[in-house]
Amino acid sequence: MKQHFDIEKHLREDLELSAPSPDFSKKVMGAIEGVRIAPPSRTYINKKVVYGFGLFFLLLIVAAVVWALVSFNWSAAGKFVSAVELNKLNLSQYITHKTLNSLLFLNILLGLIFLDKYFLRRSLR
Amino acid sequence: MQAGTDDIQIINQVLQGDQQSFEELIERYQHFVFTIALRYVRNREDAEEIAQDVFVKAYRSLADFKGNAKFSTWLYTIAMNTTKTFLRKVKPPVDSLDHVQISETVDKQHSGNGADLTEQRSMQLLINQAIGLLGPDDAIVITLFYKAEQSIEETGLIMGLTPNAVKVRLHRARLRLKEKLELYFANEIKEIIH
């Protein structure tokens, strides 16, 4: 079969379409009897309004950039001061037994929620 | 199928108020639209309802058809979208169950017939039964490309895929079809070929 059967040829020659009921076109003509052809969307979609929205958002972005540039303190360049002094940071006061337990509990909770959602999705499938 | 220019002439007549001319477009494309719907819903009543909805939608928005693409491509895109909306609203896809049912039907059908059919007719039956065993997307891509005279690009437009994705899907669909034919109809095909 693999040697002689040309699937391309048979698909081109032998593929058939299904036919709806014989009165299908009459039914459709009946259904469109009261229907009016809608005017083309270009006639009721006002391009000026679309461009107006575009311009508004563009102006918003430009205004934000201009404001950021104007309010920026250019003379501060080169005098970078770190917001957090790392050598003075004492992490041990934050990493306590209680904090670690809380984080562990939160992780277990998130894990359970994830598993629940995973099994729910699998059963839906 | 008629040439694209004929479609445009008919569309212009309909747009000028000759509603009856639309029947010509229905006659021309009803089988294609109905088949597209049937590939997904596998139920004649639902497929006919979808097909009717497609033509009503096409009629209502006929003025929006710009003629950049073929009318058939535009119409099949509406058909695909309407079918998918129908599936979302009405019922979830029940592909695997349908396949089991179809497989059972195929088994019953080809246990009792075959010998008295002509070669061409037999092959048509086999191909079309095997298409019924494929998933909807595979069946659609084969139908659009081989039967509805849609190019790779047009098939991509209709299915919302890139031309490369269509090529890949078409290749896989052909392989799967061949597998189904080998699995269910190997003896019949051997008889027809020899």
Side-chain angles (χ1 to χ4, degrees):
Chain A
M1 180 176 156
K2 277 174 190 160
Q3 287 155 3
H4 305 290
F5 188 71
D6 184 356
I7 191 123
E8 279 273 342
K9 175 180 166 281
H10 289 294
L11 280 173
R12 291 194 191 283
E13 289 172 6
D14 300 319
L15 189 62
E16 282 185 324
L17 296 171
S18 305
S21 57
D23 60 343
F24 178 77
S25 56
K26 294 275 172 280
K27 277 189 209 164
V28 179
M29 288 309 285
I32 64 166
E33 224 170 53
V35 178
R36 297 186 75 179
I37 297 174
S41 52
R42 61 179 177 274
T43 60
Y44 57 82
I45 295 176
N46 193 342
K47 280 194 176 171
K48 280 180 186 167
V49 175
V50 177
Y51 289 139
F53 275 114
L55 195 69
F56 172 74
F57 284 110
L58 191 72
L59 283 174
L60 214 64
I61 293 165
V62 169
V65 170
V66 168
W67 178 81
L69 290 175
V70 168
S71 62
F72 189 76
N73 185 6
W74 296 100
S75 57
K79 294 182 206 166
F80 177 74
V81 181
S82 172
V84 182
E85 290 182 49
L86 291 173
N87 52 350
K88 285 184 184 172
L89 197 68
N90 184 13
L91 283 175
S92 60
Q93 63 177 323
Y94 302 109
I95 307 171
T96 61
H97 193 66
K98 206 175 168 183
T99 324
L100 286 175
N101 274 346
S102 310
L103 282 172
L104 194 66
F105 179 73
L106 189 71
N107 278 331
I108 292 169
L109 197 71
L110 286 172
L112 285 172
I113 293 170
F114 170 76
L115 269 179
D116 178 56
K117 292 216 164 178
Y118 172 72
F119 285 122
L120 187 74
R121 202 168 281 183
R122 247 178 72 159
S123 64
L124 279 175
R125 229 181 265 167
Chain B
M1 203 172 0
Q2 305 287 312
T5 48
D6 286 351
D7 286 346
I8 287 167
Q9 279 172 6
I10 295 170
I11 290 164
N12 286 335
Q13 285 169 12
V14 178
L15 288 175
Q16 281 160 18
D18 180 10
Q19 197 182 53
Q20 286 307 310
S21 296
F22 193 69
E23 196 167 0
E24 174 62 31
L25 291 176
I26 301 169
E27 292 288 344
R28 205 173 277 183
Y29 294 108
Q30 56 177 332
H31 291 69
F32 293 97
V33 172
F34 179 71
T35 304
I36 288 172
L38 198 61
R39 296 281 190 236
Y40 278 98
V41 295
R42 298 176 192 267
N43 168 313
R44 288 189 61 86
E45 285 76 33
D46 287 344
E48 201 159 308
E49 191 188 319
I50 293 167
Q52 184 169 324
D53 200 18
V54 169
F55 281 108
V56 173
K57 277 182 187 171
Y59 177 77
R60 196 180 293 137
S61 35
L62 204 59
D64 268 328
F65 174 67
K66 296 178 187 83
N68 301 337
K70 283 195 282 194
F71 174 72
S72 57
T73 308
W74 184 74
L75 187 69
Y76 303 156
T77 310
I78 297 176
M80 285 288 288
N81 293 336
T82 309
T83 308
K84 284 179 178 171
T85 308
F86 177 88
L87 286 174
R88 265 200 299 272
K89 276 185 192 166
V90 180
K91 44 190 109 162
V94 281
D95 215 23
S96 53
L97 280 178
D98 279 340
H99 281 194
V100 174
Q101 285 162 3
I102 292 165
S103 308
E104 285 167 359
T105 317
V106 168
D107 287 341
K108 281 178 198 163
Q109 281 173 344
H110 77 87
S111 60
N113 69 3
D116 54 337
L117 292 168
T118 62
E119 190 177 299
Q120 174 74 10
R121 189 72 199 131
S122 302
M123 190 51 86
Q124 281 175 351
L125 266 176
L126 297 185
I127 292 280
N128 289 290
Q129 282 181 344
I131 290 268
L133 298 170
L134 293 176
D137 287 338
D138 286 346
I140 284 286
V141 78
I142 284 181
T143 308
L144 289 173
F145 185 74
Y146 287 104
K147 198 70 194 176
E149 294 174 5
Q150 301 295 304
S151 66
I152 293 280
E153 286 75 17
E154 287 163 344
T155 306
L157 272 179
I158 295 165
M159 297 186 75
L161 298 169
T162 61
N164 279 339
V166 174
K167 280 181 200 167
V168 172
R169 191 166 284 189
L170 197 59
H171 176 69
R172 287 182 185 159
R174 273 195 304 258
L175 287 181
R176 287 193 193 109
L177 183 70
K178 212 167 176 179
E179 279 169 19
K180 300 285 180 197
L181 285 164
E182 283 170 352
L183 189 67
Y184 292 103
F185 309 104
N187 293 334
E188 286 81 350
I189 290 174
K190 268 181 200 160
E191 278 173 28
I192 294 168
I193 289 170
H194 295 298

